[in-house]
Amino acid sequence: WVSLLVDKRSGRSRGFAFVDFEDEESFKKACALNCLEHPQGIKLDEKSGGTIQVSPAKPSDDVIRQKQLELTKERNRTDGLEKEMRLCAARINEKMQQIQAQRERQLALQ
């Protein structure tokens, strides 16, 4: 979909829009049009000087903060899982030592 931004007072286009692409290939094709003069098959307003400008939108600060929060939560979860795994490994090593000590006692009794 395309969101064309319009001046509230005049009702005219502000000269730019936001476009959502269905796939990465379409996005790359659009970005390849950046800075082309008089691109074939595209009608531009005279004010553009005949040059099209295409650039990826930058996420808002709220979106960036939300992603950072999600990343922090996932890192904390990963750290917790790693800690649990190290504790399990330590318990296994302890049990292995106990088994070895028990076998040595068995051999001493033979």
Side-chain angles (χ1 to χ4, degrees), residues 24-98:
E24 187 71 19
E25 183 180 338
S26 298
F27 172 72
K28 287 179 181 178
K29 284 181 182 178
C31 287
L33 296 173
N34 190 38
C35 295
L36 284 181
E37 290 187 23
H38 306 287
Q40 187 176 359
I42 299 175
K43 184 178 178 184
L44 299 175
D45 190 303
E46 306 88 43
K47 293 178 188 176
S48 73
T51 303
I52 191 168
Q53 293 182 343
V54 180
S55 60
K58 295 176 178 68
S60 69
D61 289 342
D62 289 341
V63 170
I64 292 171
R65 275 192 292 276
Q66 183 62 33
K67 285 187 177 189
Q68 288 174 337
L69 181 61
E70 289 175 26
L71 178 60
T72 299
K73 286 179 183 178
E74 290 301 317
R75 283 181 176 159
N76 289 342
R77 180 165 159 63
T78 301
D79 291 347
L81 290 170
E82 287 178 346
K83 184 178 178 182
E84 283 180 45
M85 186 182 70
R86 284 191 298 274
L87 289 172
C88 288
R91 283 190 217 115
I92 290 170
N93 286 335
E94 183 182 338
K95 291 295 180 188
M96 293 296 289
Q97 290 172 354
Q98 289 174 358

